[in-house]
Amino acid sequence: AFTSEMLDDCGNRNQSDLQNLVPATSSQPDDSAVRGVGRNFRNLGGDPGVATYMNGVYSEDLYTATIGSFWDVERIEVLRGPQGTLYGRNAPAGAYNITTVAPSTDALDGFVQSAYSQWDNNGEATVDIRGGLSVPLIYDELAGRFTGV
C-alpha cells in the first residue's frame, strides 16, 4: 500500500512509475500485469488479468480508472496473486484498489503543485500543474471536491 505522501516522495505520477515500486508488475499502454499475468487480448469480452477499483468502483483497466495519472490520490493498494474471493472473476493476477482524497466537510481545503522538467538540450520542457479544492457546502454533512491537472 502507498499513501499520497509516499507517492510524492518517490516522484510517482502515473501507472508507469508505479511499476518501479511494486515488484513483479509491469505496465503496458492500456493495461497492467502482475507476475506476468495481464490481459490476453484487448477486444470486446476480453477480461483483464488485474482488477482495478477506483473508490470501490470497478474499471476495465488501470488507465481508464486513473486517466493516466495518480493525482489527488489518498492511497493505492496493490494486491498480488488471485483475488477472486474479494474482487470477483476479473482478478486472477491481482487487484489495484485506488482511493482518492475525500472532500473536507468542515473547512475550506486545497493544494496546488507544480513540476518543471527539461529532458534535452533543445529547450524542450514539460510543466505540470495540478491542484484540488474542497468546499464544504453544508457543515459536517455535504462537501464537494474539485481537482484538475
Side-chain angles (χ1 to χ4, degrees), residues 115-143:
Y116 173 84
S117 59
Q118 185 171 352
W119 295 99
D120 59 19
N121 295 329
N122 295 332
E124 297 291 326
T126 301
V127 177
D128 291 332
I129 300 173
R130 56 184 170 170
L133 177 66
S134 286
V135 180
L137 302 173
I138 300 175
Y139 183 76
D140 276 345
E141 290 188 30
L142 181 65

Side-chain angles (χ1 to χ4, degrees), residues 14 33-36 41 58-59 70 90 103 107 117 119 123 135 143:
N14 56 35
V34 175
R35 296 181 177 171
F41 59 92
Y58 174 75
S59 176
F70 292 143
N90 290 339
S117 59
W119 295 99
V135 180

Side-chain angles (χ1 to χ4, degrees), residues 16-74:
S16 295
D17 293 340
L18 187 63
Q19 75 179 351
N20 297 329
L21 300 176
V22 182
T25 61
S26 63
S27 181
Q28 294 87 28
D30 294 330
D31 205 13
S32 181
V34 175
R35 296 181 177 171
V37 179
R39 190 183 304 265
N40 290 335
F41 59 92
R42 187 139 186 94
N43 215 347
L44 288 175
D47 291 332
V50 180
T52 301
Y53 287 84
M54 183 76 129
N55 294 325
V57 177
Y58 174 75
S59 176
E60 74 276 1
D61 63 38
L62 181 62
Y63 185 83
T64 301
T66 62
I67 313 171
S69 177
F70 292 143
W71 47 278
D72 208 29
V73 169
E74 181 179 319

